[in-house]
Amino acid sequence: MDFAPTEEQSAAQGLAARIFGDLSTPERLAVAGPATDAELWKELCAAGLTAAVEETGLLGLVLLLEEQGRTTAQVPFAASCAYGLLSVARHGTDEQRERLLPALRDGTAVATGAFPARGGIRVGNTDPDIDDAGRLSGSVPYVPWLRDADLVLVPDREHRLWIVRTADPGVLTEPVETTAPWSAARLVLDGARGERLGGAGAYEAVLAAARTAFAGLQAGVCAGSLARAVAHVNTREQFGRPLSTKQGVLLRAADAHMDTEAIRVTAYEAAWRYDTGLPYGPQALTAAWWASEAGKRVVHAGQHLHGGTGADLDHPVHRHFLWGRQLDAYLGCGGEVLQELGESLVKEGTE
């Protein structure tokens, strides 16, 4: 295994770090409220970072999402790239790639996914002679970044994938508020037209890639939380000494650092295997488990190490706490993911 980034991946990560650092500041986030930062999204796309994901692969996307997570930037980067750009590039037909990818590359179209499948979407074919079109009905309680999306990737009860345009008849989106400001909405389909994407195994592949991407986002959220905590305990004094000299503080910060590194390295491994064509399903579940379980511990530690300051809902570290808990829930919560991982390993061993 070689997780060392390529020259292109390093350059993209450095550019992303600069843009996120310059534009996703606590002051701008406070003004934006729960809304997506349209100016930041436009800047990222103009810099070619969305288009670069197609060349730098899933590992490159994980590196970029780490930088987003450090600043909790409110843009649909993970959703649009994981459920849109990479999914269409890998599972789409030549015609679909030619038609859909240009707008996804330059950010003029945003995609998201109604994942994971919960069995709520049913399909009825409108034309028996057309295999790649259907009418979808059902609802999904919440879909991240759906309020910004032009396309949503929807799995049905049989785990077939369908591309649905949010502007089409029969598609209703109802805004919902989540723990983190993800511009989420409830998706209601009433005979909406869907376009098939991929074949057998496409759902599992997209879900694993998305879990890996969001695990990378969690690694950045945790790294940002820990960096703020370290800065705080190094400058905050108690009884004439910095808090960082207290053994309990040192141990708590060290545990948070090790948890953050575990999230990062497992996400890197899953992404590397995806890019090199190796099986990556169990590795994606492992990354998701670490991101859920360890991520929750890290953002709690970051808030606790701030003491009373961390209880301030307007403090920047509280945003990391909210994002960490939202990602914990979105990735499936640790116990649920661990059960799925165990079942997959048993199945793999039986086969």
Side-chain angles (χ1 to χ4, degrees):
M1 294 182 291
D2 182 7
F3 303 154
T6 64
E7 184 178 344
E8 291 78 8
Q9 289 170 338
S10 294
Q13 185 180 22
L15 178 58
R18 181 179 63 78
I19 295 175
F20 283 124
D22 289 346
L23 296 183
S24 185
T25 62
E27 295 76 18
R28 278 176 58 91
L29 289 169
V31 172
T36 296
D37 190 332
E39 182 182 342
L40 174 56
W41 178 244
K42 183 178 180 181
E43 185 73 19
L44 291 167
C45 297
L49 288 176
T50 47
V53 170
E54 201 174 350
E55 299 297 325
T56 60
L58 184 55
L59 181 55
L61 176 58
V62 166
L63 294 171
L64 297 178
L65 292 176
E66 275 193 76
E67 301 306 325
Q68 178 185 357
R70 290 180 200 275
T71 62
T72 61
Q74 291 173 195
V75 288
F77 208 114
S80 195
C81 289
Y83 295 124
L85 193 69
L86 290 180
S87 296
V88 173
R90 175 162 287 206
H91 302 288
T93 63
D94 290 341
E95 188 277 331
Q96 286 175 321
R97 288 193 288 268
E98 183 178 355
R99 172 165 47 90
L100 299 175
L101 285 179
L104 291 169
R105 290 183 187 122
D106 63 24
T108 53
V110 172
T112 188
F115 279 63
R118 300 295 186 188
I121 302 298
R122 58 189 183 277
V123 181
N125 287 331
T126 56
D127 188 337
D129 296 325
I130 301 177
D131 295 329
D132 62 350
R135 293 291 177 179
L136 280 61
S137 298
S139 65
V140 181
Y142 89 96
V143 179
W145 307 108
L146 182 57
R147 280 180 257 173
D148 299 328
D150 304 282
L151 307 172
V152 55
L153 190 60
V154 180
D156 65 20
R157 292 175 177 177
E158 284 73 41
H159 288 182
R160 295 171 297 183
L161 294 181
W162 303 86
I163 300 172
V164 175
R165 295 186 178 276
T166 56
D168 281 356
V171 181
L172 176 65
T173 60
E174 302 172 343
V176 296
E177 297 305 325
T178 53
T179 303
W182 281 10
S183 295
R186 179 171 181 256
L187 177 67
V188 181
L189 303 177
D190 184 11
R193 185 185 186 280
E195 175 186 352
R196 277 293 302 275
L197 179 72
Y203 166 77
E204 290 76 13
V206 171
L207 177 58
R211 281 171 164 160
T212 303
F214 280 94
L217 182 61
Q218 181 76 301
V221 169
C222 291
S225 174
L226 184 57
R228 292 189 182 280
V230 169
H232 176 78
V233 299
N234 277 328
T235 55
R236 183 78 169 180
E237 291 190 356
Q238 187 179 64
F239 305 117
R241 297 171 58 194
L243 289 174
S244 59
T245 62
K246 311 294 184 181
Q247 188 177 44
V249 171
L250 288 170
L251 293 174
R252 191 78 189 275
D255 285 343
H257 171 73
M258 293 305 296
D259 275 339
T260 301
E261 289 302 299
I263 299 169
R264 177 181 289 117
V265 74
T266 51
Y268 284 7
E269 181 184 6
W272 174 79
R273 293 179 69 91
Y274 174 96
D275 291 337
T276 55
L278 294 171
Y280 61 96
Q283 287 75 19
L285 282 167
T286 302
W289 181 82
W290 274 104
S292 177
E293 285 290 291
K296 180 167 52 183
R297 290 196 296 266
V298 173
V299 295
H300 273 269
Q303 190 152 349
H304 290 167
L305 288 172
H306 278 77
T309 306
D312 183 355
L313 301 184
D314 295 324
H315 194 282
V317 77
H318 188 67
R319 293 183 59 83
H320 292 271
F321 175 78
L322 295 177
W323 276 66
R325 292 314 308 263
Q326 181 66 52
L327 283 162
D328 164 39
Y330 185 65
L331 288 166
C333 299
E336 183 180 356
V337 175
L338 192 62
Q339 179 181 352
E340 188 177 344
L341 175 59
E343 291 171 351
S344 72
L345 293 176
V346 169
K347 180 180 178 181
E348 184 178 289
T350 302
E351 292 175 348

